[in-house]
């Protein structure tokens, strides 16, 4: 299944926001739901949509995340402030896997020894590495600490291959495109496609900017249907126009 659903949580509510404004003091919200997170989890379960993720955007979201995970046991992973210290809480309450981001980057640098430590503590089959990044003139730099810090580490096929034995999947947000409905960042998507073209790659999910059915079709064509994807603000259940029912068939 190429489409991966998402539930983004901010302040305990299901929201779709412009990701780059999360820590700027001028948060831009595209959508705020009146429905609880477990409503969306049950909806995804009813459509047979597995492999999605719940993302906690900042503090105050633990209970909301747990309610979604309990509503769809084994159906969704969870991320946002995850480390070996709290991973068990979410796994024991229904998460299929946990998504680790900033814990990989002590001192704002990717630490392979730290990645190995997390893999050993949590288990590689229960671990997703989030390598969300910002495109720049010299490549795609990985961002951490709720995307506030752009590191000196670049997203590359070689890096994904090096981390591959330590995790089950990768999740990559194109930070500059997230929530803006301006199309996919194809520089990021091309790196993921190159990695996914290797023998026996880990599944990889792209997030950011897909805003129409045409965008989705173009993304699938450019990535040769080798890269999974998620849609947030542009999804009809979140105030957009892309049909969840149609995506559930991909």
């Amino acid at each position: 299944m190429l489409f991966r659903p998402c539930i983004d949580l901010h302040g305990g509510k299901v929201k779709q926001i412009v990701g780059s404004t999360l820590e700027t003091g001028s948060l831009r919200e595209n959508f705020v739901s009146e429905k609880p997170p477990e409503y969306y989890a049950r909806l995804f379960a009813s459509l047979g949509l597995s492999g999605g993720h719940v993302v906690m955007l900042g503090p105050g979201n633990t209970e909301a995340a747990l309610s979604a995970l309990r509503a769809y046991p084994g159906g969704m992973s969870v991320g946002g402030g995850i480390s070996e210290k709290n991973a068990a809480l979410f796994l024991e309450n229904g998460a299929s896997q946990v998504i680790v981001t900033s814990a990989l980057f002590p001192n704002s640098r990717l630490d392979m020894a730290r990645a190995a430590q997390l893999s050993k503590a949590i288990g590689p089959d229960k671990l997703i590495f989030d390598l969300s990044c910002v495109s720049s003139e010299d490549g795609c730099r990985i961002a951490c600490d709720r995307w506030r810090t752009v590191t000196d580490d670049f997203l590359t096929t070689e890096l994904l291959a090096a981390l591959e034995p330590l995790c089950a999947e990768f999740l990559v947000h194109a930070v500059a495109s997230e929530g803006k409905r301006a199309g996919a960042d194809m520089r990021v998507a091309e790196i993921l496609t190159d990695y996914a073209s290797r023998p026996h790659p880990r599944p990889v999910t792209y997030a950011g900017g897909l805003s129409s059915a045409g965008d989705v079709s173009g993304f699938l064509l450019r990535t040769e249907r080798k890269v999974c994807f998620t849609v947030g603000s542009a999804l009809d259940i979140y105030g957009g126009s892309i049909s969840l029912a149609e995506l559930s068939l991909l």
Side-chain angles (χ1 to χ4, degrees):
M1 183 171 291
L2 291 172
F3 171 65
R4 303 290 186 91
C6 65
I7 301 173
D8 291 349
L9 300 171
H10 182 261
K13 295 184 177 181
V14 176
K15 296 184 182 180
Q16 287 294 320
I17 67 175
V18 178
S20 58
T21 70
L22 183 59
E23 298 292 339
T24 64
S26 56
L27 182 70
R28 286 175 54 193
E29 298 176 338
N30 289 330
F31 175 83
V32 180
S33 179
E34 296 180 356
K35 295 181 173 65
E38 57 266 30
Y39 165 85
Y40 294 98
R42 292 191 184 105
L43 175 61
F44 299 148
S46 72
L47 293 170
L49 291 169
S50 60
H53 52 276
V54 179
V55 176
M56 300 180 287
L57 300 171
N61 292 300
T62 298
E63 289 305 317
L66 291 174
S67 71
L69 298 172
R70 291 168 183 150
Y72 189 7
M76 302 190 79
S77 58
V78 63
I82 301 291
S83 71
E84 67 271 44
K85 295 179 180 179
N86 62 0
L89 170 66
F90 297 99
L91 292 170
E92 291 167 0
N93 280 276
S96 59
Q97 295 155 318
V98 292
I99 303 166
V100 172
T101 310
S102 296
L104 288 169
F105 293 86
N107 303 313
S108 301
R109 291 302 307 265
L110 179 63
D111 187 325
M112 292 296 293
R114 178 71 175 127
Q117 180 184 28
L118 288 162
S119 183
K120 182 177 180 180
I122 298 171
D125 60 320
K126 295 296 183 181
L127 195 55
I128 296 174
F129 286 154
D130 182 337
L131 301 176
S132 298
C133 57
V134 179
S135 292
S136 62
E137 291 184 0
D138 52 353
C140 298
R141 293 178 179 268
I142 301 172
C144 63
D145 190 22
R146 283 183 258 166
W147 302 342
R148 291 178 295 190
T149 302
V150 179
T151 72
D152 291 329
D153 294 293
F154 290 90
L155 180 72
T156 64
T157 298
E158 293 74 21
L159 176 61
L160 292 166
L163 289 168
E164 185 178 276
L166 303 177
C167 67
E169 296 189 19
F170 296 105
L171 172 64
V172 179
H173 293 80
V175 174
S177 300
E178 182 70 18
K180 295 183 179 179
R181 307 181 191 177
D185 184 330
M186 291 313 301
R187 293 184 68 184
V188 176
E190 286 168 4
I191 294 170
L192 302 184
T193 304
D194 185 56
Y195 166 73
S197 299
R198 290 168 46 89
H200 311 297
R202 296 289 186 262
V204 58
T205 298
Y206 169 90
L210 294 170
S211 62
S212 67
D215 280 350
V216 172
S217 296
F219 177 85
L220 294 175
L221 180 63
R222 293 281 296 276
T223 60
E224 303 172 18
R225 301 181 71 90
K226 294 178 179 179
V227 178
C228 300
F229 68 96
T230 190
V231 176
S233 299
L235 202 60
D236 56 0
I237 59 170
Y238 295 142
S241 61
I242 300 180
S243 167
L244 173 65
E246 293 182 6
L247 291 184
S248 69
L249 302 177
L250 294 175

